[in-house]
Amino acid sequence: MRILAKTTACIVAISLVAACETSDTADEADIAAGTDGNVLLAAWSGPYGGVPAFDKMDLAYLKSALEIGMERNLGEIDAIAENPEPPTFENTIEAMERAGKDLDRVSTYRRIWSSNVSSPEFREIQLEMAPKLAEFNTKIIQNAALFDRIRTVYESEEAKSLRPDQQRLLQLVYDRFARNGATLTGEKKARYAQITQRLAELHTQFGNNVLADEEGYVTYLTEDQLGGLPQSFVRSAAAAAADRGHDGEYAVTNTRSSMDPFLTYSSERDLRETVWRTYYSRGDNGDEHDNNAIIAEILQLRDERVKLLGYENYAAWRLENRMAKTPERAFELLEAIWPAALARVEEEVADMQAIADAEGAGITIAPWDYRYYAEKVRQAKYDLDSDEVKQYLQMQNLIDAMHFVAGEIFNFEFTPVPEGEVSVFHEDVKVWEVTDKDSGDLVGLWYLDPYARPGKRSGAWATSYRSHESFDGEITTLGSNNSNFIQGAPGEPVLISWSDARTLFHEFGHALHYLTSTVAYPTLNSGVRDYTEFQSQLLERWLLTDRVIDNYLLHVETGEPIPDELVEKIRNAATFNQGFETTEYLASALVDMMYHTMDPTGLDPDAFERAALEELDMPDEIVMRHRSPHFAHIFSSEGYSAGYYSYIWADVLTSDAAEAFAEAPGGFYDKELAKRLVENLFAVRNAVDPADAYRAFRGRDATIDALMRDRGFPVPSN
Ligand SMILES: [Zn+2]
């Protein structure tokens, strides 16, 4: 679910133009440029400051709308770059914030086609347009006249007298160019472009190789090799085998969703070892799909590229605009948690070895035994009947609970918009008007697309169709949540799992983060990788508050609130197997950071990984969650390169902030603390440095103590 943060609107738009969608009113330029007829380019009309015309979406217009949108955007950028007036904040930076509205509107529709209502026809257009969109972004970054103006404003006297949020905007815009090679000239500029292109190829090759090994290696089982496996797994394994022409056999495919349950339940130890080795060898088989040479070249080129820009290493470049700011601070956090995770692994292994010994298994716990014996420990110590919990989790009640929390903490009122008043792309989608409880002022709209259907991607995510801005007049937010629940029979309540309920709250946290925005400029809505998951993770904590438990977690038949002992079991289960989970994660995060801070000359990734893990004292029973040759987060793109630490960085903030609520006089519903939360950590988005914002909320920096308690680890003494 965390990965899905990628779909937040602001991260999708890599262009330097308005980072998030904004509405526009029809003007003569639209008509003169030939908008009439192309429904995707048309200004949004209707109530709430205009809403997307989802009911008129027509794929036939998409390609031309994207082309016209890019062309107009480049025209706007050229006009700014060639302005004969001397550069000012207003005629350069603000003008850039104003540009690209047409493309933004088209992009909203494109993302709906991509995520909610996809089709082979759409994917064909997407494939054709992706390189053109990439080229469009490069053109803007490489516009030397434009960057000259930005730099002039950045270095001007005027800059010093701007409002703090304007200074922040100027910094973000300047960095976006400077950090991506705009300061380079001549040979260095050419080399930079060459490296960027080669890296794009290598990233794609890396990902394709992992995919090839996931598809190419399948473990087939016969009827007598199914010991311990649940019926649901057996059924899907039979179907997977039949799909591959192995009728009558059972396929364990080489993916996490197949490997993980197999290792958890299979009583066939030799097969567990086979499946484990196959999975953790992806990209490392010494054949044409081997990724080791690609890793070496990627790291070499990344290092060379940031040195052209004057950085000491790739991680220093990468973390500069993150909350952590330096690789040292990321290392510091990872290393502070590491010893406690290792100590817990020792305890977990001892628990598991005891069970294996009692069973007379005659084995020493190996990596392919961990999940299997951990499951036995779970049943003995933490047994939680997921079906029993589900009876208290009715989707509609959970939605009501989220609106209740939003009312208490954010002072928002959610009112259903009558059907037909705002257009939707599918009849399942419902829309709520969001207003301020006291003033009645419109905050925006919240769209919910709850159910699975063909053409919709899996998982859950949040996105915004339009983000808040006010520098050209107040624009309200259009936010959305999307899930894949299975629709019940008409009139039947939809029951969901505990983890789905958490995800629902998590994604709603992202939506609230959009809706609370008070920033003046579109770019200030943008996300910061090690910070954007914090707000959503924090919102999950309200699911187990008394007022939600008592009023919304009600049994589907009796209407009774979920009993205390079941809540207690849920709470205890949260610390189960944390040694394993934290260690496999931290090992990957640490190795990622080591790769991006060392000198990559002559690197042998295989030897490096082994040496790094030895130095860390990695337990024999656990491997990295993602071994280097298939660590797609960091090598198939730059999405999480020198950034895998981000998950636990955000977790530290989440635990620390949740503890502030737990200790407040009014607990999780403390009005004064809620106000500080919304003002400092939600409404400002990226208009304030996240570290300063957090300090303003908490009165100090976050410490790891609360996270250690949440995971059941001892808190280090200071
Ligand atoms: Zn998220």
Side-chain angles (χ1 to χ4, degrees):
M1 67 188 161
R2 286 160 182 167
I3 306 289
L4 296 170
K6 274 191 212 157
T7 65
T8 56
C10 303
I11 295 168
V12 169
I14 3 163
S15 86
L16 80 164
V17 295
C20 300
E21 307 76 24
T22 45
S23 85
D24 211 353
T25 49
D27 59 22
E28 273 144 25
D30 278 339
I31 295 153
T35 296
D36 50 340
N38 193 324
V39 292
L40 304 180
L41 283 165
W44 294 350
S45 58
Y48 305 107
V51 291
F54 288 130
D55 54 339
K56 297 196 178 66
M57 280 169 69
D58 185 343
L59 210 46
Y61 291 109
L62 179 59
K63 203 178 134 188
S64 62
L66 284 169
E67 278 164 351
I68 295 169
M70 286 189 279
E71 196 184 301
R72 285 187 194 166
N73 197 161
L74 289 175
E76 290 165 327
I77 291 297
D78 281 343
I80 297 167
E82 287 153 22
N83 188 343
E85 299 289 323
T88 63
F89 181 79
E90 199 276 327
N91 73 20
T92 304
I93 307 299
E94 279 197 345
M96 287 169 66
E97 291 294 292
R98 207 168 277 130
K101 305 290 193 203
D102 299 290
L103 187 57
D104 288 341
R105 285 198 298 275
V106 182
S107 301
T108 290
Y109 296 119
R110 184 174 62 87
R111 284 201 299 273
I112 296 289
W113 270 306
S114 164
S115 301
N116 299 68
V117 289
S118 189
S119 63
E121 294 76 24
F122 166 76
R123 287 192 286 275
E124 220 166 275
I125 299 172
Q126 175 87 330
L127 211 58
E128 185 186 341
M129 296 309 289
K132 293 185 184 173
L133 285 161
E135 194 191 346
F136 158 80
N137 284 317
T138 309
K139 261 188 196 160
I140 296 175
I141 292 287
Q142 290 182 347
N143 186 324
L146 179 67
F147 181 63
D148 273 348
R149 291 183 72 90
I150 296 168
R151 176 155 51 189
T152 305
V153 177
Y154 182 70
E155 290 166 355
S156 70
E157 277 302 305
E158 185 202 4
K160 293 175 194 149
S161 59
L162 294 169
R163 295 197 316 255
D165 68 314
Q166 292 174 323
Q167 290 190 14
R168 174 96 179 152
L169 170 65
L170 181 54
Q171 184 73 51
L172 292 174
V173 172
Y174 177 84
D175 283 351
R176 196 188 296 148
F177 282 77
R179 289 172 47 77
N180 288 292
T183 53
L184 302 177
T185 51
E187 256 176 55
K188 282 185 172 179
K189 185 175 184 166
R191 179 61 187 150
Y192 188 95
Q194 221 175 17
I195 293 175
T196 304
Q197 202 197 334
R198 179 64 184 151
L199 277 174
E201 287 167 17
L202 291 168
H203 293 153
T204 306
Q205 272 181 33
F206 184 96
N208 288 345
N209 283 341
V210 176
L211 209 60
D213 278 2
E214 290 187 349
E215 285 166 358
Y217 291 85
V218 177
T219 308
Y220 290 102
L221 312 178
T222 51
E223 188 87 51
D224 57 342
Q225 295 177 312
L226 303 175
L229 297 172
Q231 267 313 305
S232 58
F233 185 90
V234 171
R235 267 197 306 274
S236 61
D243 280 351
R244 290 164 176 77
H246 284 248
D247 287 288
E249 289 182 277
Y250 304 85
V252 184
T253 59
N254 203 18
T255 59
R256 186 174 293 277
S257 59
S258 194
M259 170 281 291
D260 200 282
F262 183 82
L263 292 188
T264 303
Y265 297 111
S266 173
S267 54
E268 305 278 336
R269 189 168 194 243
D270 291 350
L271 285 170
R272 287 205 306 267
E273 181 175 350
T274 303
V275 167
W276 182 90
R277 286 194 188 282
T278 309
Y279 183 76
Y280 287 102
S281 299
R282 289 169 301 144
D284 199 19
N285 292 307
D287 56 10
E288 77 268 30
H289 299 304
D290 192 285
N291 269 332
N292 284 290
I294 293 178
I295 293 173
E297 193 180 345
I298 287 176
L299 291 170
Q300 189 71 54
L301 289 174
R302 284 179 181 171
D303 187 65
E304 185 186 344
R305 196 183 53 181
V306 302
K307 287 195 167 131
L308 288 173
L309 299 174
Y311 290 87
E312 194 190 337
N313 55 52
Y314 181 87
W317 170 77
R318 179 47 101 201
L319 270 71
E320 181 186 50
N321 63 359
R322 299 277 156 83
M323 187 172 174
K325 296 207 172 59
T326 64
E328 290 71 29
R329 296 205 49 210
F331 266 124
E332 208 178 283
L333 168 66
L334 301 172
E335 284 164 358
I337 304 167
W338 182 248
L342 294 193
R344 173 53 52 89
V345 166
E346 251 179 65
E347 292 167 16
E348 286 173 5
V349 171
D351 280 351
M352 296 190 291
Q353 191 65 54
I355 289 184
D357 292 349
E359 284 177 350
I363 59 155
T364 303
I365 299 291
W368 42 91
D369 299 319
Y370 212 112
R371 290 173 176 83
Y372 181 70
Y373 283 98
E375 174 60 16
K376 290 177 187 271
V377 173
R378 191 189 69 79
Q379 285 175 10
K381 275 194 175 176
Y382 299 92
D383 194 22
L384 185 63
D385 180 350
S386 55
D387 210 53
E388 189 188 352
V389 177
K390 218 173 174 177
Q391 305 305 311
Y392 296 92
L393 301 172
Q394 304 176 52
M395 184 188 79
Q396 191 53 55
N397 277 0
L398 288 160
I399 293 169
D400 293 344
M402 298 193 309
H403 292 167
F404 163 74
V405 169
E408 293 298 308
I409 306 302
F410 297 84
N411 209 39
F412 287 165
E413 172 122 32
F414 283 70
T415 314
V417 172
E419 217 147 301
E421 209 165 282
V422 166
S423 78
V424 291
F425 48 82
H426 190 277
E427 59 182 8
D428 288 348
V429 180
K430 301 286 176 257
V431 189
W432 281 259
E433 177 187 291
V434 186
T435 52
D436 183 272
K437 263 169 47 175
D438 298 326
S439 66
D441 288 348
L442 179 68
V443 172
L445 294 178
W446 182 64
Y447 294 67
L448 176 65
D449 181 12
Y451 301 119
R453 64 172 166 270
K456 187 172 175 181
R457 56 174 262 216
S458 60
W461 66 98
T463 183
S464 63
Y465 306 145
R466 181 175 72 205
S467 297
H468 182 271
E469 63 175 73
S470 59
F471 80 113
D472 265 347
E474 188 76 13
I475 301 289
T476 54
T477 302
L478 306 177
S480 87
N481 280 153
N482 307 269
S483 348
N484 273 286
F485 300 125
I486 306 301
Q487 202 158 6
E492 291 275 302
V494 175
L495 299 179
I496 66 178
S497 71
W498 176 252
S499 103
D500 283 346
R502 274 184 61 176
T503 306
L504 196 61
F505 269 61
H506 175 98
E507 299 303 338
F508 189 58
H510 284 304
L512 288 170
H513 198 188
Y514 306 142
L515 285 162
T516 45
S517 171
T518 55
V519 303
Y521 298 101
T523 290
L524 295 179
N525 283 302
S526 57
V528 179
R529 169 69 81 220
D530 55 6
Y531 184 60
T532 47
E533 291 303 313
F534 154 63
Q535 287 83 359
S536 49
Q537 287 175 7
L538 184 63
L539 208 92
E540 295 174 30
R541 303 297 179 110
W542 270 269
L543 182 51
L544 272 191
T545 55
D546 289 346
R547 293 171 74 177
V548 168
I549 290 171
D550 295 342
N551 297 307
Y552 300 97
L553 303 191
L554 308 177
H555 193 277
V556 62
E557 276 154 23
T558 66
E560 288 294 315
I562 188 166
D564 291 347
E565 55 277 17
L566 205 48
V567 172
E568 206 44 42
K569 276 187 180 178
I570 292 171
R571 289 209 164 100
N572 287 341
T575 58
F576 164 69
N577 218 28
Q578 275 301 325
F580 176 85
E581 284 176 22
T582 307
T583 301
E584 65 157 11
Y585 163 77
L586 284 178
S588 286
L590 281 160
V591 171
D592 166 33
M593 207 48 88
M594 290 177 184
Y595 271 135
H596 290 105
T597 46
M598 54 125 190
D599 174 2
T601 313
L603 173 76
D604 171 356
D606 208 53
F608 180 85
E609 183 185 288
R610 238 174 302 127
L613 294 174
E614 197 162 319
E615 191 189 316
L616 288 168
D617 218 357
M618 182 77 168
D620 295 337
E621 299 86 358
I622 298 183
V623 278
M624 294 163 70
R625 182 172 170 85
H626 309 281
R627 284 198 52 236
S628 312
H630 46 253
F631 201 167
H633 286 78
I634 67 168
F635 293 128
S636 78
S637 77
E638 294 186 81
Y640 278 88
S641 46
Y644 198 63
Y645 77 94
S646 301
Y647 295 106
I648 205 152
W649 186 276
D651 272 350
V652 168
L653 299 176
T654 303
S655 292
D656 191 64
E659 207 160 83
F661 277 98
E663 290 164 357
F668 275 81
Y669 295 92
D670 190 275
K671 291 286 176 199
E672 197 264 317
L673 191 60
K675 189 162 175 283
R676 269 206 334 256
L677 176 82
V678 176
E679 276 175 8
N680 293 299
L681 299 179
F682 277 76
V684 298
R685 299 284 317 185
N686 199 5
V688 175
D689 181 292
D692 296 338
Y694 194 82
R695 225 168 281 130
F697 163 73
R698 197 67 162 106
R700 59 163 173 76
D701 289 331
T703 72
I704 65 167
D705 298 10
L707 173 119
M708 301 298 268
R709 280 188 277 273
D710 281 345
R711 296 192 180 207
F713 295 165
V715 177
S717 53
N718 295 309

